[in-house]
């Protein structure tokens, strides 16, 4: 019984890790769209008010991005241009309700909730950035996209067919959902999910899906956008044996508890209620989750509850700082190892492939030595941005430390991994203009693929690392495929 209970807890923890991974992919998609809009916002056509010229620039940008349309609005929210309509046609007010005055100083982008596009005539999501000149916001520039993008992200994770998964916007509206009819898109999430989201950014809860399926559910809300990823595991999937094993135990506990309750009815009620209210938060704190404790009737118990809440907030903040690189915003080495372990397990279960790229910058130290650490930091941020722009929604990049980066390509073999690595090197070869100098971020790339170069995380990491050092020895801007081959027999030996 203990072993089965531990297996259930591990399954729920793995589901939470998967929710974090998908949440990162959602944020990465929004960042990619934001980067495209920021580039368009610098167009000289916007400075001169030439809407016609900018219209064709926006149409060209659509060819390289997974967005449905690009919209330019004035300070009052009136659409000046929409790539879904020919130039000159009358356009409605901005359907996303994002206005120029919504962009505060320092705010780089706004992500809307799900809404029905007035021109598209169907549910869409918008990412918007301000167009500023001389410190004044002149226009709003936004890109609309279909909820189908997020359904594709969910399906790429290849969760068991009985499981449910969904992406929910800030208003608690379902943007995308798999594991049930698509008619739930645009409908509000369950009350249980909204209650859980109101108390913390991630965690688990027991509840019912909108179509009445009891589940153990986990969720992760993005700190950047407020959007939430939910994964639900039906209770019948994991509870059958546990329910039978615990039935007799709960009967005995119930009899003992009733006897004690009757014996200590007056004073005992308050003590048991206060202590019981602390058990679940204490257990959740031990697993690193954010906890909430209601006011308790006993002064001592109430003080302990407040201390638990303060400790959980500190632990949550510490975990985020411990798993993300503060300079580039990419996952750091700790979160990288957690996510790649999950992806290797999925690849083994689904009989799919993945590739790992180890990337080391070639001329980072001279930039630091000659131009200072501020210039080196700008170069690292530039490299992180180019990595994001080179990857699909299902892939992810991490900064391992110093000038070392890593990329995991989901469902990708060695041949395609080489093409992605070449694309990355091409982007890094474009000179970066700093305040007083122009620098270039060359790199050496080592590639290892699952299962050819190893069936375990450590084997893949070792193979990719060895290949990277071979690339550095071969000269600048080299790509080396790992030659370390592992068979099942060798791995078991």
């Amino acid at each position: 019984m203990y072993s089965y209970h531990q297996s259930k807890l591990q399954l729920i923890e793995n589901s939470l890790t998967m929710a974090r991974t998908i949440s990162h992919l959602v944020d990465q998609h929004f960042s990619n769209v934001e980067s495209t809009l920021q580039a368009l916002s610098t167009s000289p056509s916007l400075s001169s008010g030439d809407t016609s010229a900018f219209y064709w620039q926006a149409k060209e940008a659509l060819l390289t991005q997974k967005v449905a349309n690009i919209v330019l609005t004035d300070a009052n929210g009136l659409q000046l241009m929409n790539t879904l309509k020919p130039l000159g046609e009358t356009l409605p007010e901005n359907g996303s309700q994002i206005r120029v005055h919504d962009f505060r100083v320092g705010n780089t982008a706004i992500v809307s909730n799900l809404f029905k596009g007035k021109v598209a005539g169907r549910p869409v999501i918008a990412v918007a950035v301000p167009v500023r000149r001389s410190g004044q916001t002149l226009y709003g520039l936004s890109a609309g996209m279909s909820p189908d993008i997020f359904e594709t992200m969910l399906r790429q994770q290849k969760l068991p067919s009985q499981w449910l998964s969904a992406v929910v916007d800030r208003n608690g509206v379902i943007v995308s959902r798999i594991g049930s009819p698509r008619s739930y898109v645009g409908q509000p999430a369950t009350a249980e999910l909204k209650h859980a989201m109101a108390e913390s950014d991630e965690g688990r809860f027991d509840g019912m899906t909108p179509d009445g399926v009891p589940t153990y559910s986990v969720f992760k809300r993005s700190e950047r956008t407020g959007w939430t990823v939910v994964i639900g595991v039906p209770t019948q999937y994991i509870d059958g044996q546990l329910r039978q094993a615990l039935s007799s135990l709960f009967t005995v506990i119930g009899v003992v508890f009733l006897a004690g309750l009757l014996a200590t009815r007056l004073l005992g009620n308050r003590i048991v209620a206060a202590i019981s209210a602390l058990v679940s938060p204490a257990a959740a704190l031990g697993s690193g989750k954010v906890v909430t404790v209601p006011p308790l009737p006993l002064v001592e118990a109430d003080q302990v509850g407040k201390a638990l809440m303060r400790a959980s907030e500190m632990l949550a903040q510490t975990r985020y700082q411990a798993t993300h690189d503060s300079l580039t915003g990419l996952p750091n080495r700790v979160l990288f190892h957690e996510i790649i372990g999950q992806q290797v397990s999925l690849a083994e279960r689904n009989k799919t492939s993945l590739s790992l790229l180890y990337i080391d910058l070639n001329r980072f130290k001279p930039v630091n030595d000659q131009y200072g650490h501020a210039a080196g930091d700008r170069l690292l941020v530039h490299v992180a941005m180019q990595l994001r722009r080179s990857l699909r929604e299902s892939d992810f990049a991490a900064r391992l430390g110093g000038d070392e980066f890593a990329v995991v390509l989901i469902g990708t073999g060695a041949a395609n991994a080489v093409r992605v690595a070449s694309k990355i090197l091409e982007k890094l070869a474009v000179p970066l203009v700093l305040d007083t100098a122009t620098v270039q971020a060359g790199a050496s790339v080592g590639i290892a693929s699952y299962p050819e170069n190893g069936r375990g995380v450590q084997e893949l990491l070792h193979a990719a690392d060895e290949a990277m050092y071979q690339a550095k020895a071969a000269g600048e801007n080299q790509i080396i495929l790992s030659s370390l081959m592992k068979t099942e027999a060798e791995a078991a030996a």
Side-chain angles (χ1 to χ4, degrees):
M1 180 180 67
Y2 175 79
S3 175
Y4 189 84
H5 184 64
Q6 290 299 108
S7 297
K8 171 187 171 182
L9 294 178
Q10 185 61 51
L11 178 61
I12 293 174
E13 183 61 32
N14 290 344
S15 301
L16 185 56
T17 298
M18 179 59 65
R20 293 174 186 143
T21 299
I22 301 174
S23 177
H24 171 73
L25 294 176
V26 172
D27 280 356
Q28 180 176 292
H29 174 74
F30 285 138
S31 295
N32 292 342
V33 175
E34 177 188 349
S35 296
T36 298
L37 292 176
Q38 292 287 7
L40 281 173
S41 71
T42 63
S43 171
S45 300
L46 293 178
S47 300
S48 62
D50 190 349
T51 306
S52 176
F54 182 73
Y55 176 87
W56 296 110
Q57 292 176 5
K59 290 285 266 187
E60 183 177 353
L62 290 177
L63 300 177
T64 61
Q65 291 293 325
K66 296 180 180 178
V67 296
N69 66 315
I70 293 177
V71 178
L72 183 69
T73 58
D74 65 12
N76 297 317
L78 180 66
Q79 292 190 25
L80 303 176
M81 182 213 78
N82 189 322
T83 56
L84 287 178
K85 292 287 187 179
L87 277 171
E89 281 202 14
T90 302
L91 296 171
E93 190 178 14
N94 184 9
S96 68
Q97 303 302 313
I98 297 175
R99 299 291 184 268
V100 166
H101 59 71
D102 294 330
F103 296 103
R104 299 182 298 274
V105 175
N107 190 17
T108 56
I110 297 176
V111 178
S112 77
N113 293 306
L114 186 70
F115 67 97
K116 185 174 181 179
K118 293 184 178 180
V119 176
R122 53 186 171 80
V124 294
I125 308 103
V127 176
V129 301
V131 178
R132 293 191 173 103
R133 298 292 186 272
S134 302
Q136 183 179 5
T137 302
L138 303 180
Y139 307 106
L141 183 62
S142 60
M145 65 199 74
S146 169
D148 294 345
I149 292 175
F150 304 104
E151 180 179 343
T152 300
M153 289 184 193
L154 296 175
R155 293 193 183 281
Q156 285 175 337
Q157 301 307 311
K158 299 187 184 301
L159 298 175
S161 59
Q162 302 95 323
W163 291 20
L164 311 172
S165 58
V167 178
V168 179
D169 68 16
R170 289 186 301 277
N171 286 339
V173 174
I174 299 172
V175 176
S176 183
R177 190 169 186 257
I178 63 173
S180 65
R182 296 181 64 184
S183 59
Y184 287 103
V185 173
Q187 299 300 313
T190 62
E192 293 91 346
L193 173 57
K194 290 183 177 179
H195 177 74
M197 290 166 53
E199 294 190 344
S200 64
D201 287 335
E202 70 173 37
R204 59 145 296 184
F205 63 94
D206 301 338
M208 301 279 286
T209 66
D211 42 347
V213 178
T215 60
Y216 295 105
S217 298
V218 298
F219 68 95
K220 169 61 182 176
R221 181 171 58 204
S222 166
E223 296 180 4
R224 179 175 179 273
T225 65
W227 282 39
T228 302
V229 172
V230 189
I231 296 178
V233 184
T235 56
Q236 63 181 5
Y237 186 85
I238 55 178
D239 276 3
Q241 297 182 25
L242 182 61
R243 190 180 301 110
Q244 182 178 0
L246 294 180
S247 177
S248 58
L249 177 61
F250 284 153
T251 300
V252 174
I253 292 176
V255 171
V256 173
F257 179 76
L258 181 60
L261 185 63
L262 293 174
T264 57
R265 184 171 182 177
L266 296 177
L267 181 61
N269 278 346
R270 297 184 65 199
I271 296 175
V272 170
I275 293 178
S276 297
L278 293 173
V279 172
S280 294
L285 180 64
S287 62
K289 300 175 182 177
V290 176
V291 301
T292 301
V293 182
L296 300 175
L298 295 180
V299 175
E300 294 81 359
D302 190 58
Q303 291 175 345
V304 173
K306 293 177 179 178
L308 286 174
M309 290 191 292
R310 289 194 297 270
S312 71
E313 292 172 358
M314 295 172 62
L315 285 173
Q317 182 179 7
T318 300
R319 172 176 172 79
Y320 181 83
Q321 294 173 346
T323 56
H324 289 78
D325 176 45
S326 59
L327 177 64
T328 65
L330 294 176
N332 64 9
R333 186 181 294 270
V334 173
L335 185 56
F336 167 74
H337 279 271
E338 181 178 332
I339 294 177
I340 193 175
Q342 180 74 25
Q343 294 297 334
V344 168
S345 298
L346 285 172
E348 180 180 7
R349 184 179 67 199
N350 298 321
K351 307 301 181 185
T352 57
S353 60
L354 65 82
S355 291
L356 169 64
L357 278 59
Y358 254 34
I359 303 171
D360 186 86
L361 303 186
N362 291 330
R363 294 185 296 277
F364 177 68
K365 187 176 185 300
V367 172
N368 262 347
D369 293 343
Q370 186 172 358
Y371 304 111
H373 290 287
D377 288 348
R378 289 179 62 182
L379 179 58
L380 291 173
V381 172
H382 170 72
V383 171
M385 181 179 297
Q386 298 309 316
L387 290 179
R388 291 190 183 100
R389 291 177 175 176
S390 302
L391 303 180
R392 302 168 302 174
E393 307 299 337
S394 58
D395 306 326
F396 70 92
R399 182 187 176 196
L400 303 184
D403 59 349
E404 290 188 359
F405 296 81
V407 170
V408 174
L409 305 175
I410 308 301
T412 302
N416 284 331
V418 171
R419 283 192 282 272
V420 174
S422 299
K423 179 180 178 182
I424 291 173
L425 291 184
E426 289 177 5
K427 288 184 178 295
L428 297 184
V430 177
L432 172 64
V433 179
L434 302 177
D435 294 334
T436 59
T438 300
V439 299
Q440 192 175 26
S444 300
V445 183
I447 301 175
S449 298
Y450 174 93
E452 292 86 352
N453 302 121
R455 293 185 175 275
V457 173
Q458 293 305 318
E459 291 175 350
L460 287 174
L461 294 175
H462 174 68
D465 190 47
E466 288 289 325
M468 184 271 289
Y469 279 105
Q470 293 175 22
K472 289 186 72 70
E476 293 191 356
N477 298 321
Q478 298 295 314
I479 301 170
I480 298 294
L481 285 169
S482 173
S483 59
L484 298 178
M485 303 298 291
K486 290 284 186 178
T487 66
E488 291 186 1
E490 289 173 332

